[in-house]
Amino acid sequence: MNPIWLIRMAQWARNPPSPQRVKLVFGVIALCLLIFGYEWMFGWPEWLTPQKIKP
């Protein structure tokens, strides 16, 4: 483990992030999981698939 990560963890322990920041991070993670779940259940939309242009 890199010593920089130990310093960063010590700083977070002394000054934890605000509740708003924690909610934001969990919200972004939840949004990513929702998008992944939708794609897993229904597949990739056909209109988002790139097509090769024939010259």
Side-chain angles (χ1 to χ4, degrees), residues 6-50:
L6 293 173
I7 294 170
R8 185 175 289 181
M9 285 189 286
Q11 288 175 344
W12 281 1
R14 290 185 191 115
N15 299 316
S18 67
Q20 289 177 333
R21 173 73 54 102
V22 173
K23 288 178 187 177
L24 175 68
V25 170
F26 282 131
V28 169
I29 292 172
L31 180 64
C32 292
L33 288 174
L34 276 170
I35 293 171
F36 173 77
Y38 181 82
E39 182 182 344
W40 182 74
M41 289 185 74
F42 300 109
W44 186 256
E46 193 65 34
W47 58 273
L48 281 176
T49 304

